[in-house]
Amino acid sequence: MPYPDRYAYPDRFYPVVDSLDWVARLTKLGVGTIQLRSKNLDDAQSLQIVSDALEVTKGTPTKLVVNDYWRAAIVAGAKHLHLGQEDLVDADVKAIRDAGLTLGISTHDDAELETALRADPDYIALGPIFPTTLKSMRFAPQGIPKITEWKKRVGDIPLVAIGGIKFEQAREIFAAGADSIAVVSDITQHPDPDARVRAWLGRDAEAA
Protein backbone atom coordinates (compact mmCIF):
# COMPACT_ATOMS: atom_id res chain seq x y z
CA MET A 1 0.00 0.00 0.00
CA PRO A 2 1.27 3.54 -0.64
CA TYR A 3 2.61 5.69 2.15
CA PRO A 4 0.89 9.00 1.40
CA ASP A 5 1.56 11.14 4.48
CA ARG A 6 2.74 11.21 8.05
CA TYR A 7 -0.61 9.98 9.35
CA ALA A 8 -0.16 6.63 7.64
CA TYR A 9 0.99 3.58 9.58
CA PRO A 10 3.45 3.43 11.13
CA ASP A 11 4.11 7.09 11.89
CA ARG A 12 7.45 8.45 10.76
CA PHE A 13 8.61 8.65 14.39
CA TYR A 14 8.18 5.20 15.90
CA PRO A 15 9.50 4.73 19.46
CA VAL A 16 10.00 1.23 20.87
CA VAL A 17 9.71 0.90 24.65
CA ASP A 18 9.51 -1.88 27.24
CA SER A 19 7.08 -0.69 29.93
CA LEU A 20 3.62 0.69 30.58
CA ASP A 21 5.18 3.81 32.09
CA TRP A 22 6.87 4.59 28.80
CA VAL A 23 3.70 3.88 26.83
CA ALA A 24 1.77 6.28 29.05
CA ARG A 25 4.46 8.95 28.87
CA LEU A 26 4.70 8.84 25.09
CA THR A 27 0.94 8.71 24.64
CA LYS A 28 0.58 11.90 26.68
CA LEU A 29 3.18 13.56 24.46
CA GLY A 30 1.06 12.76 21.41
CA VAL A 31 3.18 10.06 19.81
CA GLY A 32 1.24 8.40 16.99
CA THR A 33 2.77 4.90 16.92
CA ILE A 34 4.37 3.14 19.91
CA GLN A 35 5.74 -0.39 20.00
CA LEU A 36 5.65 -2.24 23.31
CA ARG A 37 8.57 -4.65 23.37
CA SER A 38 8.70 -6.40 26.74
CA LYS A 39 10.60 -9.66 26.67
CA ASN A 40 10.46 -12.99 28.52
CA LEU A 41 6.86 -12.85 29.73
CA ASP A 42 4.62 -15.87 30.14
CA ASP A 43 1.13 -16.04 28.63
CA ALA A 44 -0.61 -14.47 31.62
CA GLN A 45 1.95 -11.68 31.96
CA SER A 46 1.92 -10.87 28.27
CA LEU A 47 -1.88 -10.71 28.16
CA GLN A 48 -1.88 -8.45 31.21
CA ILE A 49 0.66 -5.94 29.87
CA VAL A 50 -0.92 -5.83 26.42
CA SER A 51 -4.38 -5.29 27.92
CA ASP A 52 -3.07 -2.58 30.24
CA ALA A 53 -1.22 -0.82 27.42
CA LEU A 54 -4.33 -0.84 25.25
CA GLU A 55 -6.23 0.74 28.12
CA VAL A 56 -3.58 3.46 28.36
CA THR A 57 -3.89 4.31 24.66
CA LYS A 58 -7.68 3.90 24.50
CA GLY A 59 -9.42 7.04 23.31
CA THR A 60 -6.17 8.62 22.07
CA PRO A 61 -4.74 8.86 18.54
CA THR A 62 -1.86 6.58 19.59
CA LYS A 63 -1.57 3.23 17.82
CA LEU A 64 -0.10 0.49 20.04
CA VAL A 65 2.06 -2.12 18.33
CA VAL A 66 2.53 -5.38 20.24
CA ASN A 67 5.94 -7.01 19.82
CA ASP A 68 6.05 -10.81 19.66
CA TYR A 69 3.02 -11.75 21.78
CA TRP A 70 0.60 -12.44 18.94
CA ARG A 71 -1.74 -14.61 20.99
CA ALA A 72 -2.08 -11.92 23.65
CA ALA A 73 -2.58 -9.32 20.93
CA ILE A 74 -5.47 -11.30 19.47
CA VAL A 75 -7.13 -12.00 22.83
CA ALA A 76 -6.73 -8.41 24.07
CA GLY A 77 -8.10 -6.94 20.86
CA ALA A 78 -4.97 -5.16 19.70
CA LYS A 79 -4.82 -3.79 16.17
CA HIS A 80 -1.10 -3.87 15.40
CA LEU A 81 1.62 -6.51 15.74
CA HIS A 82 5.37 -6.69 15.12
CA LEU A 83 7.26 -9.95 14.76
CA GLY A 84 10.95 -10.74 14.55
CA GLN A 85 12.08 -13.54 12.30
CA GLU A 86 12.22 -16.05 15.16
CA ASP A 87 8.73 -15.05 16.28
CA LEU A 88 7.42 -15.33 12.74
CA VAL A 89 8.45 -18.98 12.52
CA ASP A 90 6.15 -19.90 15.42
CA ALA A 91 3.32 -17.50 14.63
CA ASP A 92 -0.02 -18.35 13.05
CA VAL A 93 -0.11 -15.65 10.38
CA LYS A 94 -3.60 -16.67 9.23
CA ALA A 95 -4.97 -16.30 12.77
CA ILE A 96 -3.22 -12.94 13.07
CA ARG A 97 -4.77 -11.72 9.83
CA ASP A 98 -8.19 -13.19 10.64
CA ALA A 99 -8.12 -11.14 13.86
CA GLY A 100 -7.62 -7.98 11.80
CA LEU A 101 -4.11 -7.24 13.02
CA THR A 102 -1.60 -5.36 10.92
CA LEU A 103 1.78 -7.08 10.75
CA GLY A 104 5.27 -5.57 10.70
CA ILE A 105 8.31 -7.82 10.35
CA SER A 106 12.01 -7.37 11.17
CA THR A 107 14.64 -8.11 8.52
CA HIS A 108 18.43 -8.15 8.54
CA ASP A 109 19.49 -9.87 5.30
CA ASP A 110 18.22 -11.01 1.91
CA ALA A 111 16.84 -14.32 3.13
CA GLU A 112 14.90 -12.65 5.92
CA LEU A 113 13.49 -10.09 3.51
CA GLU A 114 12.21 -12.86 1.26
CA THR A 115 10.63 -14.60 4.26
CA ALA A 116 9.01 -11.37 5.39
CA LEU A 117 7.61 -10.53 1.97
CA ARG A 118 5.93 -13.93 1.74
CA ALA A 119 3.85 -12.93 4.78
CA ASP A 120 2.50 -9.86 2.92
CA PRO A 121 3.50 -7.45 5.73
CA ASP A 122 2.13 -3.98 6.39
CA TYR A 123 5.69 -2.76 6.87
CA ILE A 124 9.25 -4.07 6.77
CA ALA A 125 11.84 -3.09 9.40
CA LEU A 126 15.53 -3.03 8.45
CA GLY A 127 18.27 -2.98 11.05
CA PRO A 128 20.49 -2.34 12.73
CA ILE A 129 21.36 0.73 10.65
CA PHE A 130 24.09 1.75 13.12
CA PRO A 131 25.81 -0.11 15.97
CA THR A 132 23.53 -0.60 18.96
CA THR A 133 24.36 -1.49 22.53
CA LEU A 134 20.83 -2.42 23.56
CA LYS A 135 21.06 -6.06 22.60
CA SER A 136 23.59 -8.43 21.11
CA MET A 137 23.20 -8.43 17.35
CA ARG A 138 24.43 -11.24 15.11
CA PHE A 139 24.21 -8.88 12.14
CA ALA A 140 26.69 -6.12 11.36
CA PRO A 141 25.38 -2.55 10.99
CA GLN A 142 23.55 -2.16 7.70
CA GLY A 143 24.54 1.44 6.96
CA ILE A 144 22.46 4.10 5.26
CA PRO A 145 22.97 2.92 1.63
CA LYS A 146 21.20 -0.35 2.52
CA ILE A 147 18.04 1.67 3.24
CA THR A 148 17.93 2.88 -0.36
CA GLU A 149 18.51 -0.64 -1.68
CA TRP A 150 15.84 -2.15 0.58
CA LYS A 151 13.29 0.53 -0.32
CA LYS A 152 13.70 -0.23 -4.01
CA ARG A 153 13.04 -3.88 -3.25
CA VAL A 154 9.96 -3.44 -1.04
CA GLY A 155 8.30 -0.82 -3.22
CA ASP A 156 5.15 0.62 -1.70
CA ILE A 157 5.49 -1.35 1.52
CA PRO A 158 6.54 1.11 4.26
CA LEU A 159 10.18 0.69 5.31
CA VAL A 160 11.14 1.25 8.94
CA ALA A 161 14.80 1.92 9.77
CA ILE A 162 15.93 0.83 13.24
CA GLY A 163 19.13 0.50 15.22
CA GLY A 164 21.25 3.18 16.89
CA ILE A 165 19.54 6.07 15.10
CA LYS A 166 19.61 9.53 16.68
CA PHE A 167 17.46 12.55 15.94
CA GLU A 168 20.34 14.34 14.24
CA GLN A 169 20.48 11.57 11.62
CA ALA A 170 16.76 11.59 10.83
CA ARG A 171 16.93 13.81 7.77
CA GLU A 172 19.58 11.61 6.13
CA ILE A 173 17.67 8.42 6.99
CA PHE A 174 14.45 9.71 5.47
CA ALA A 175 16.32 11.01 2.41
CA ALA A 176 17.76 7.53 1.90
CA GLY A 177 14.26 6.12 1.53
CA ALA A 178 13.00 5.20 4.99
CA ASP A 179 9.30 5.85 5.57
CA SER A 180 9.63 5.59 9.35
CA ILE A 181 12.36 5.54 11.99
CA ALA A 182 12.08 3.25 15.01
CA VAL A 183 13.84 4.78 18.00
CA VAL A 184 14.83 3.18 21.29
CA SER A 185 17.87 4.52 23.18
CA ASP A 186 17.67 8.02 21.69
CA ILE A 187 14.51 8.39 23.79
CA THR A 188 14.85 6.01 26.72
CA GLN A 189 18.47 6.89 27.50
CA HIS A 190 18.23 10.61 26.78
CA PRO A 191 18.67 12.98 29.76
CA ASP A 192 15.47 14.82 28.75
CA PRO A 193 13.25 12.27 27.00
CA ASP A 194 10.24 14.56 26.72
CA ALA A 195 12.24 17.25 24.95
CA ARG A 196 13.74 14.63 22.66
CA VAL A 197 10.30 13.30 21.76
CA ARG A 198 9.09 16.82 20.98
CA ALA A 199 12.12 17.29 18.72
CA TRP A 200 11.30 14.07 16.88
CA LEU A 201 7.67 15.07 16.51
CA GLY A 202 8.79 18.42 15.07
CA ARG A 203 11.08 16.57 12.69
CA ASP A 204 8.15 14.38 11.74
CA ALA A 205 6.04 17.37 10.76
CA GLU A 206 8.92 18.93 8.85
CA ALA A 207 9.80 15.76 6.97
CA ALA A 208 6.26 14.81 5.97
Side-chain angles (χ1 to χ4, degrees):
M1 60 183 178
Y3 194 94
D5 57 43
R6 75 187 187 94
Y7 298 105
Y9 172 78
D11 287 64
R12 290 171 75 82
F13 169 55
Y14 182 8
V16 179
V17 295
D18 64 1
S19 71
L20 289 174
D21 287 344
W22 274 113
V23 171
R25 186 172 185 171
L26 295 175
T27 298
K28 288 178 182 176
L29 288 166
V31 174
T33 305
I34 302 170
Q35 183 182 134
L36 175 62
R37 184 171 70 188
S38 188
K39 294 297 186 179
N40 302 316
L41 304 181
D42 62 27
D43 289 347
Q45 292 170 326
S46 61
L47 180 57
Q48 187 66 59
I49 196 170
V50 170
S51 299
D52 290 346
L54 287 170
E55 191 62 32
V56 167
T57 58
K58 185 177 180 181
T60 75
T62 299
K63 298 175 285 292
L64 180 78
V65 184
V66 177
N67 181 289
D68 186 6
Y69 303 114
W70 61 272
R71 293 181 182 86
I74 291 173
V75 173
K79 301 298 183 185
H80 308 286
L81 180 69
H82 181 94
L83 294 177
Q85 292 282 321
E86 297 84 0
D87 306 322
L88 183 60
V89 171
D90 299 323
D92 186 338
V93 175
K94 184 178 185 302
I96 290 166
R97 291 308 198 180
D98 287 348
L101 284 153
T102 68
L103 178 60
I105 301 174
S106 296
T107 65
H108 306 87
D109 61 21
D110 291 342
E112 291 191 350
L113 178 59
E114 290 178 12
T115 298
L117 290 173
R118 284 197 294 270
D120 191 24
D122 294 276
Y123 70 79
I124 293 283
L126 170 66
I129 303 304
F130 301 120
T132 175
T133 59
L134 288 180
K135 61 179 181 178
S136 176
M137 296 295 294
R138 60 189 179 94
F139 295 95
Q142 305 281 358
I144 292 177
K146 194 68 169 286
I147 297 171
T148 305
E149 176 190 338
W150 237 235
K151 184 58 185 174
K152 289 177 181 176
R153 295 175 67 176
V154 303
D156 287 338
I157 300 172
L159 180 65
V160 178
I162 185 170
I165 301 171
K166 298 186 180 302
F167 168 71
E168 291 79 11
Q169 298 155 328
R171 185 185 298 276
E172 187 177 8
I173 299 292
F174 284 131
D179 298 294
S180 174
I181 298 176
V183 179
V184 188
S185 60
D186 195 50
I187 299 301
T188 61
Q189 296 181 8
H190 195 275
D192 189 346
D194 290 9
R196 198 63 161 174
V197 169
R198 285 191 288 269
W200 273 102
L201 292 174
R203 166 69 68 197
D204 176 30
E206 179 183 328

